[in-house]
Amino acid sequence: MTLRRLILLAMSVTIIFVQEQLLMFIPNVQFTTLLIVLFVSVFTFKESIVMIIVYVLLDNIYMGTLNPFYMVPMFIGWTLIPVVYHTLLKQTKNANTLAFFGLFMGFVYGWVYIPFVMIQLGMNHFWPYLLADIPFELIMATSNFLTILWLYEPLYRVVSQQMESIEKTCIPLKKNQ
Amino acid sequence: MKKMTLSIAILVLITFAFWMINRPNNQSAGTITIQVIDVSANIVVNDHHAFNEGDSLFDILNQHYNLICANALYRPDASCDAQHWGRVILSIDDVHTDWNTTFLHLTVNGEHSHLGVDSVRIKDKDIIQFTVQKPN
């Protein structure tokens, strides 16, 4: 990994974190899924996982939720993006496919929290929790779908061009890495 | 054009889903009893109120009491504006809670309600209790 690539990774975490804090007053409306999908499609799988680990740690430290009941489902939820992108989606750059994936992720991200909430509250809260979460999942799914559909391609063009130009001019930190 | 069609289709679907979620729950009319119990377990409100088809519990409370609700950040908000995830009542008349150290626990006929004042299904002769409680 080159130093510039490492810096790009840090910058991408900053962008994700700052936009999420700015949009916090509207529940589940965010560009986080769009940005993670975007960065996952320009970084390698390993780099994407590193980016998500740092983002989840930073977010939970800042929000005061540094406990496994929030951090673990959050990490699993966001990690599903690079995992599915590199397997089922076969690294597609098709905005429509990614938008439908974002729509699906809006629901899956909410469901990932259910086992952890059940450990805390008990199984008798399963249906109330599942039903109460539907409006938030709908908002996140819509937000994901529309942002990816309209913004993924222009953002991908800019980011991949920048990445290419950086790759051409950079010096590796170590040989063969 | 395809993007626009997809966007409109998704927005229509989501609007329909929200309409289904938020449609009025109460299909009947009748009378309910509303009790408010303060932190010392005194019943400070014990009233009977008639309601009509389509009235939510919030509508009934709002007609008869001074309410303070929680805003999106769980701070007191006297406007009690509708929120798509449902309102949280912090104060009813002189019984106040602050969400962090105390909250109003809602029970219907003695059973914990999993739904809030906008969504709970009420029927004739229900006893609705709001009890000031401290979080565990």
Side-chain angles (χ1 to χ4, degrees):
Chain A
M1 189 187 288
T2 63
L3 181 60
R4 286 188 188 185
R5 212 165 162 85
L6 201 63
I7 290 166
L8 278 171
L9 213 55
M11 283 171 70
S12 59
V13 174
T14 311
I15 292 166
I16 296 169
F17 178 75
V18 170
Q19 65 78 32
E20 194 169 275
Q21 295 304 316
L22 285 173
L23 291 170
M24 188 155 282
F25 66 99
I26 322 171
N28 282 22
V29 174
Q30 32 71 31
F31 295 103
T32 309
T33 312
L34 163 74
L35 290 170
I36 291 182
V37 168
L38 174 73
F39 294 133
V40 160
S41 56
V42 290
F43 292 128
T44 64
F45 180 75
K46 277 183 187 174
E47 287 169 341
S48 305
I49 297 294
V50 170
M51 177 186 77
I52 288 166
I53 291 171
V54 176
Y55 160 65
V56 169
L57 265 174
L58 182 65
D59 191 72
N60 283 285
I61 289 168
Y62 186 78
M63 297 301 294
T65 51
L66 201 65
N67 77 66
F69 291 103
Y70 287 100
M71 274 181 66
V72 176
M74 194 176 175
F75 177 72
I76 294 170
W78 292 129
T79 304
L80 283 173
I81 294 178
V83 169
V84 176
Y85 181 81
H86 286 277
T87 54
L88 291 175
L89 294 176
K90 293 173 183 169
Q91 305 182 21
T92 181
K93 305 289 185 286
N94 184 304
N96 290 351
T97 309
L98 290 171
F100 279 105
F101 170 61
L103 186 85
F104 175 68
M105 272 304 296
F107 295 95
V108 172
Y109 187 77
W111 297 337
V112 169
Y113 281 81
I114 291 176
F116 296 88
V117 175
M118 293 306 103
I119 292 167
Q120 286 180 295
L121 301 179
M123 276 308 289
N124 56 332
H125 285 77
F126 176 79
W127 286 109
Y129 181 86
L130 189 72
L131 296 175
D133 204 36
I134 288 174
F136 298 96
E137 289 166 5
L138 284 171
I139 297 168
M140 189 173 174
T142 314
S143 165
N144 290 351
F145 183 84
L146 294 177
T147 51
I148 294 173
L149 189 69
W150 288 96
L151 301 175
Y152 175 78
E153 279 173 350
L155 285 174
Y156 179 77
R157 269 198 298 275
V158 174
V159 173
S160 56
Q161 274 170 13
Q162 293 301 316
M163 293 287 281
E164 270 176 34
S165 63
I166 287 165
E167 289 294 320
K168 281 175 191 167
T169 54
C170 68
I171 305 155
L173 282 176
K174 284 180 184 176
K175 278 182 181 176
N176 304 323
Q177 272 196 340
Chain B
M1 189 62 194
K2 193 181 175 185
K3 279 183 182 178
M4 188 59 80
T5 314
L6 276 172
S7 303
I8 292 167
I10 287 295
L11 286 172
V12 168
L13 272 173
I14 296 299
T15 309
F16 177 72
F18 270 101
W19 177 80
M20 288 291 286
I21 291 166
N22 294 322
R23 74 189 193 283
N25 277 331
N26 301 312
Q27 308 287 317
S28 61
T31 304
I32 57 165
T33 303
I34 290 181
Q35 297 179 334
V36 180
I37 299 163
D38 68 12
V39 73
S40 310
N42 300 314
I43 300 177
V44 291
V45 171
N46 188 11
D47 300 328
H48 304 285
H49 299 295
F51 67 94
N52 298 314
E53 192 178 318
D55 282 349
S56 67
L57 178 57
F58 174 79
D59 296 332
I60 301 164
L61 290 168
N62 202 29
Q63 278 170 29
H64 300 97
Y65 304 100
N66 292 319
L67 302 178
I68 295 175
C69 301
N71 65 12
L73 298 171
Y74 287 88
R75 304 266 157 69
D77 176 17
S79 70
C80 279
D81 291 334
Q83 299 191 25
H84 58 76
W85 56 87
R87 298 175 182 88
V88 171
I89 306 279
L90 291 180
S91 301
I92 301 174
D93 284 350
D94 293 328
V95 178
H96 304 288
T97 62
D98 62 6
W99 184 254
N100 293 316
T101 59
T102 51
F103 67 95
L104 283 169
H105 178 222
L106 171 61
T107 58
V108 179
N109 300 322
E111 288 190 13
H112 167 76
S113 172
H114 290 301
L115 300 170
V117 290
D118 285 302
S119 314
V120 66
R121 193 180 290 266
I122 50 170
K123 54 186 188 303
D124 190 29
K125 293 176 184 165
D126 273 351
I127 299 170
I128 312 289
Q129 278 189 337
F130 291 92
T131 310
V132 177
Q133 287 196 350
K134 293 175 181 175
N136 293 326

